[in-house]
Amino acid sequence: RDLWIRIVYGARISLIVGFVASLVNLTIGVLYGGIAAYAGGMVDNIMMRFVDILRSIPRLLYVILLMVVFGSGLQTVVLTIGFVYWLGMARIVRGQVLSLKNQEFVFAARLLGAKTPRILLRHLIPNVMGPIIVTVAMNIPAAIFTEAFLSFVGLGVSAPEASWGTLANNALGGLMTYPYLLFFPALGISLTVLAFNFVGDGLRDSIDPRLRQ
C-alpha cells in the first residue's frame, strides 16, 4: 500500500490507457475518414452526418453510459475511450484525403489498375501521416485525463488495480490531515498530460512547414 509504488503502477495503467485507446482511435478514425472521403457523394454525406450526430452529444456522456453498460475495468476503459474519441480523427483524415484524391499520383495508380483499398492504404493515407501523428499525440493526454476522471468518480479502474484517479478519490477522506495523498497523484496526472501536450506541439511545429519558418 505504499503511495509511491501505487503512483508508479498508476502511471503504467494511465500510459496503457492512453496508448491503446489512441491506437483504437487511430484505426477507426483513419479508416472511416479515408473511406468517406475517397468514396465521396452520397456515401460521404451519410457517413459524415452520422459523425455530426455523434459529435452533437458530449463525448464524456458516451463514455459514462458505455462504462455503466459494460461495467468498470481496465479493458472496458480502454475500448470505451477508443470507440468514442475517433470522431475528430475521422474529420481530419477526411479533409486531408479530399485534398489529395484528385492529385496526379492517384490518377496514375488508377490507370495502373490499383484497387481502391490499395490506393487508400498505400498512397493516400501515408501522405496524410503528419496530421494523423499530431492528432494521436494530442489524443493520448485526453485519454489519460478521461481515465483519471472516470476512476475518480468510480466508473473506471477499480481496486486492487491502482489508478491516479482512484488514488485521488481515496485521498479525499483525509484531505485536511494528509494532503500529500492527493497532491502526488494529481501531480502525476498534470505532468504526464503536460508532457504529451508538449510532444504534440513539437510534432506539429516540426511537421508543418509553415510553423518552422
Side-chain angles (χ1 to χ4, degrees), residues 22-43:
S22 296
L23 181 61
V24 176
N25 168 28
L26 171 68
T27 304
I28 298 176
V30 169
L31 292 178
Y32 192 94
I35 292 172
Y38 189 77
M42 184 63 67
V43 175

Side-chain angles (χ1 to χ4, degrees), residues 46-194:
I46 293 175
M47 295 178 71
M48 286 300 105
R49 295 300 78 74
F50 178 72
V51 170
D52 291 338
I53 293 173
L54 293 180
R55 286 177 64 91
S56 64
I57 302 175
R59 292 182 295 181
L60 192 58
L61 180 59
Y62 284 119
V63 174
I64 294 175
L65 291 177
L66 292 175
M67 292 295 299
V68 171
V69 173
F70 295 107
S72 61
L74 181 59
Q75 295 180 348
T76 306
V77 172
V78 171
L79 294 178
T80 301
I81 296 176
F83 287 148
V84 170
Y85 277 66
W86 59 270
L87 302 175
M89 176 70 76
R91 280 205 164 275
I92 292 174
V93 174
R94 174 183 177 269
Q96 295 293 323
V97 172
L98 282 176
S99 64
L100 292 176
K101 73 175 187 177
N102 293 323
Q103 297 293 326
E104 287 80 3
F105 68 93
V106 178
F107 289 124
R110 291 174 184 168
L111 291 175
L112 292 174
K115 302 296 183 182
T116 298
R118 180 178 178 84
I119 294 175
L120 190 61
L121 298 176
R122 296 294 300 274
H123 298 283
L124 289 174
I125 291 179
N127 279 281
V128 299
M129 286 304 297
I132 290 175
I133 293 174
V134 174
T135 305
V136 169
M138 300 300 289
N139 282 336
I140 292 176
I144 292 175
F145 185 80
T146 302
E147 182 276 326
F149 171 77
L150 292 173
S151 299
F152 181 78
V153 299
L155 294 175
V157 177
S158 57
E161 293 178 314
S163 170
W164 286 336
T166 304
L167 294 177
N169 188 9
N170 294 337
L172 291 179
L175 180 61
M176 302 304 297
T177 307
Y178 307 105
Y180 67 90
L181 295 177
L182 178 61
F183 173 77
F184 288 107
L187 180 63
I189 297 172
S190 301
L191 291 179
T192 304
V193 171
L194 185 63

